[in-house]
Amino acid sequence: MNLKKLLSLAAVGCGVLIFFVGILLGSFANIPGFYSYYTTTKYFAMVISGVLALAIIGCFTPVIKLPKSAMLYVKLFGLLLVFLVITIVFSTAPISSLVGQFTQWEFNLLSYILYALIFIGVAITFVLLKQSKLDVTLFGVLMTLLCVAAIIYGLGEFYIWKPQTGYISNFVPRISLGFRNPLFAAFLLGMLWLYSFTELVFAWIWQLPAKVKKVTNVITPHLTRIALGTKVIIFVLLTHVFVLTFTRSAWISAAVGAGLALGWAFLLVKRSNGIAIMRTSLTVGILLLSILMNVFLLRQPLSQRSENVFSEGQQTIRTIAQAIGGNQESAAGFFQNANEYSTMEIRLKEWQWGLTTLFSSPKIFLIGAGPDALNFVLPETRPAEFNNIPTDSFTRPTYIRNMYLTFILMHGALFTITAAVLAGVVGIRFVKRFLALSDTKKKQLVGPVFLLIGFLLQGIFYYPTFPLLVLIMFTLGYIVARMEIFSFSVQPSHLQGKLLTLFIAIIISIWTGITAYAEVKLDLIALYWVPTREILQDTDKIPVPSLIFKRIFTYHYPDTQESSAFLPELAKSKDLDDLRVAAAVYYGLGRSNYDLDMVNKSIEILETMVEKDPTAPVHYDELGLRYLFLQDYDKSREYFDKALSVKRDFWFTYMHMGELLRQTCNPKEALAWYEGAKPYVPMAADEILEAKVEIENPIAGCR
């Protein structure tokens, strides 16, 4: 075996590993040690996939020959890169990226590079396989494996180990696969379901090649029946697993994709024979039967899920309770009027929020908020209704739940319009070449094409995560290699190419190692595996933006010398989380030391927070508490009233209003406020007893 064959074998092996690591492992595995947001496992799976792609590129250099007529693509792509650099350099992202676990622009920037590498590496893999006529077989086998893995995991999760996601509406369990979020699971399953559906439909429309050796004439029909039977079984089971996500937006997207596939299928069978029409009708029958079976088997949870009451599961309630400083009953009370909003209305409000932000300034409109800088901009334009809705957008969304709106907000109109033009030009060329293919070649591509269509449709209602995007890069690599939209060939790399790819791999690995170290430190805090102070003592040695460590340290240890140095920095931050901690610590120190300057500093920070986010009742409530401490009762009452004008059932303000009235010798009026809060804030019961005592025996100064 010569060197070229060995390199080809190694490259193909790396291509297959990309699928197993970046897609299978990324979608179905969560390593407990990487806890934060359940995203770290998937991020590192993508990084490893990118390094594997680099290994492929190190073995073979892609050679792309474009005709003169296609130079427009190169110019548009160059323009895209220019706009991306402008967005990164001049947006708010580099300034405000010092927050959070895997929510920094640096991670998204590295992700862009990794996606490009994965796409190129996979395309090289399938070009090599095409020479042996194994590319179609391998892609089909891998996709079948992914569908089977999703079915086994989904059925096992729902019927054996039960969902533990916390994303539960009306206490209906929903599978989430390895994402710990049923919306991501629905995104993936919607794509796979549409792929499976179109594979089944068009497998029966387009006939097998007529040129079959005589020996195989007897065997081929049996193999065809087995293959079709397998497709039917996978499709039926995928339908059931897809339903178990109980995600209506994903069902709608998949249904639209199925409608497109069926429309095209019936156009084709018009020119075909009666057998093709019968087969297509049979597929539709299987689809309807699968849906009816699921409706019958899951009629109770489906009816519960279809109600427009947004009632969260216990885990989410606990999380919200921690966020607002109370217990589960408090959190339930906080959102007691959430049933005024349907889930679709909530989604539309999010889109409205995103559009308002997009047009809030020329800078954001033109160059975007920057990769992953949405956290720092959106609160300024948040609709007040989000104070009543227990959703991802309770305080601020990481993303607006729409892939396209998120993309525009991150990159701006200049980048988006250029990307849309490039996609349109390439898409037109693709459609022309696709329609010109023979039925046999179309059959090899229709499933992957509708997988991409499923991705685009699912993106209307949610945004993708790492394994989904790796799957898209994998599919695009296969399509480009198979379609020959451009002259795409490969040749063994020279020494310079190998050294360059090795250098890039080392840089990526070093950066990933640095961020992994920071992430593990944060995970240890989240899981309480070691004492927090032990972790935080050496945080200044972590060579990544460390403001989050300073925030955590200051919050836990406000009296230390280190915190005294960190506080001014946090108070000047543009991030609301930093400001929230700074305001709380200044107030806490001011109260304990009776230092009015610190209390006033806390008030200044809260006023800044009101400017940034005027729709959050908690900011006004906190200001009311500060003025209550300063015994400025008129100011305190003014801010408590503002909090209640923003959110009429902000029960914590009810409690604080009661305290204000008791301090101003009105325990009877305070009692009414406590009674209003009692069903939602259990601690109100103690305050009610104290208020009743004060009514009978007024405190000194009130007699």
Side-chain angles (χ1 to χ4, degrees), residues 36 79 139 163 192 316 368 375 421 423 458 507 512 605 628 641 668:
S36 303
L79 200 58
F139 186 85
L192 295 181
T316 302
N375 286 352
V421 172
Q458 295 293 335
I507 295 297
T512 305
I605 296 170
L628 182 60
D641 285 338
K668 188 175 290 186

Short mmCIF file of all heavy atoms in Angstrom, two decimals, residues 36 79 139 163 192 316 368 375 421 423 458 507 512 605 628 641 668:
data_model
loop_
_atom_site.label_atom_id
_atom_site.label_comp_id
_atom_site.label_asym_id
_atom_site.label_seq_id
_atom_site.Cartn_x
_atom_site.Cartn_y
_atom_site.Cartn_z
N SER A 36 -21.71 23.44 33.21
CA SER A 36 -22.31 24.75 32.97
C SER A 36 -23.09 24.79 31.67
O SER A 36 -22.54 24.57 30.60
CB SER A 36 -21.22 25.81 32.94
OG SER A 36 -20.50 25.79 34.13
N LEU A 79 -16.09 40.09 0.63
CA LEU A 79 -16.86 41.15 1.28
C LEU A 79 -17.42 40.69 2.62
O LEU A 79 -17.45 41.45 3.60
CB LEU A 79 -17.99 41.59 0.35
CG LEU A 79 -18.63 42.97 0.60
CD1 LEU A 79 -17.58 44.07 0.52
CD2 LEU A 79 -19.73 43.22 -0.42
N PHE A 139 -22.48 7.94 3.64
CA PHE A 139 -23.37 8.97 4.17
C PHE A 139 -24.69 8.35 4.61
O PHE A 139 -25.22 8.68 5.68
CB PHE A 139 -23.62 10.05 3.11
CG PHE A 139 -24.43 11.21 3.63
CD1 PHE A 139 -23.81 12.26 4.30
CD2 PHE A 139 -25.81 11.25 3.49
CE1 PHE A 139 -24.54 13.33 4.80
CE2 PHE A 139 -26.56 12.31 3.98
CZ PHE A 139 -25.91 13.35 4.64
N PRO A 163 -37.67 11.72 31.51
CA PRO A 163 -37.02 13.01 31.28
C PRO A 163 -36.72 13.74 32.58
O PRO A 163 -37.51 13.72 33.51
CB PRO A 163 -38.06 13.78 30.46
CG PRO A 163 -38.95 12.73 29.87
CD PRO A 163 -38.98 11.62 30.87
N LEU A 192 -34.11 15.25 11.27
CA LEU A 192 -33.99 13.82 10.96
C LEU A 192 -35.32 13.26 10.45
O LEU A 192 -35.34 12.40 9.55
CB LEU A 192 -33.54 13.05 12.21
CG LEU A 192 -32.15 13.37 12.73
CD1 LEU A 192 -31.82 12.51 13.95
CD2 LEU A 192 -31.10 13.16 11.65
N THR A 316 -37.37 24.19 36.91
CA THR A 316 -37.35 25.56 36.42
C THR A 316 -37.85 26.52 37.48
O THR A 316 -37.31 27.61 37.66
CB THR A 316 -38.20 25.68 35.15
OG1 THR A 316 -37.69 24.77 34.17
CG2 THR A 316 -38.14 27.08 34.59
N GLY A 368 -24.29 45.15 13.70
CA GLY A 368 -24.72 44.17 14.68
C GLY A 368 -24.16 44.42 16.06
O GLY A 368 -23.32 45.30 16.28
N ASN A 375 -26.52 39.73 25.04
CA ASN A 375 -26.83 39.88 26.47
C ASN A 375 -26.72 41.32 26.93
O ASN A 375 -27.39 41.73 27.86
CB ASN A 375 -25.86 39.04 27.31
CG ASN A 375 -26.17 37.57 27.23
OD1 ASN A 375 -27.17 37.17 26.66
ND2 ASN A 375 -25.30 36.76 27.78
N VAL A 421 -27.23 37.39 -0.40
CA VAL A 421 -26.96 37.44 -1.84
C VAL A 421 -26.08 36.27 -2.26
O VAL A 421 -26.36 35.59 -3.27
CB VAL A 421 -26.30 38.79 -2.21
CG1 VAL A 421 -25.83 38.77 -3.67
CG2 VAL A 421 -27.26 39.94 -1.98
N ALA A 423 -25.72 33.37 -0.72
CA ALA A 423 -26.51 32.14 -0.61
C ALA A 423 -27.49 32.02 -1.77
O ALA A 423 -27.70 30.93 -2.32
CB ALA A 423 -27.27 32.12 0.72
N GLN A 458 -36.71 24.81 10.89
CA GLN A 458 -36.66 24.77 12.35
C GLN A 458 -36.09 26.05 12.92
O GLN A 458 -36.44 26.48 14.03
CB GLN A 458 -35.81 23.57 12.82
CG GLN A 458 -36.38 22.20 12.49
CD GLN A 458 -37.65 21.89 13.25
OE1 GLN A 458 -37.91 22.43 14.31
NE2 GLN A 458 -38.46 21.01 12.68
N ILE A 507 -2.49 26.06 17.92
CA ILE A 507 -3.11 27.29 18.42
C ILE A 507 -4.51 27.00 18.95
O ILE A 507 -4.88 27.43 20.06
CB ILE A 507 -3.17 28.36 17.31
CG1 ILE A 507 -1.77 28.79 16.89
CG2 ILE A 507 -4.00 29.55 17.77
CD1 ILE A 507 -0.97 29.46 17.97
N THR A 512 -8.19 26.25 23.44
CA THR A 512 -9.22 25.40 24.04
C THR A 512 -8.79 24.95 25.43
O THR A 512 -9.61 24.89 26.36
CB THR A 512 -9.49 24.17 23.16
OG1 THR A 512 -9.82 24.61 21.84
CG2 THR A 512 -10.64 23.35 23.70
N ILE A 605 -25.51 52.98 41.38
CA ILE A 605 -25.42 51.81 40.48
C ILE A 605 -26.82 51.37 40.05
O ILE A 605 -27.06 51.07 38.87
CB ILE A 605 -24.67 50.66 41.17
CG1 ILE A 605 -23.22 51.06 41.45
CG2 ILE A 605 -24.71 49.40 40.32
CD1 ILE A 605 -22.48 50.10 42.35
N LEU A 628 -35.49 53.34 52.02
CA LEU A 628 -36.11 52.94 53.28
C LEU A 628 -35.05 52.88 54.38
O LEU A 628 -35.28 53.32 55.51
CB LEU A 628 -36.80 51.59 53.12
CG LEU A 628 -37.55 51.05 54.34
CD1 LEU A 628 -38.65 52.01 54.78
CD2 LEU A 628 -38.13 49.66 54.04
N ASP A 641 -43.87 52.21 44.40
CA ASP A 641 -45.00 52.41 43.49
C ASP A 641 -44.58 52.17 42.04
O ASP A 641 -45.35 51.61 41.25
CB ASP A 641 -45.56 53.83 43.64
CG ASP A 641 -46.38 54.00 44.92
OD1 ASP A 641 -46.86 52.98 45.45
OD2 ASP A 641 -46.52 55.15 45.39
N LYS A 668 -51.73 48.71 60.38
CA LYS A 668 -53.01 48.20 59.86
C LYS A 668 -52.98 48.18 58.33
O LYS A 668 -53.41 47.21 57.69
CB LYS A 668 -54.15 49.07 60.37
CG LYS A 668 -55.54 48.49 60.04
CD LYS A 668 -56.66 49.32 60.65
CE LYS A 668 -56.66 49.15 62.18
NZ LYS A 668 -57.85 49.83 62.80
#
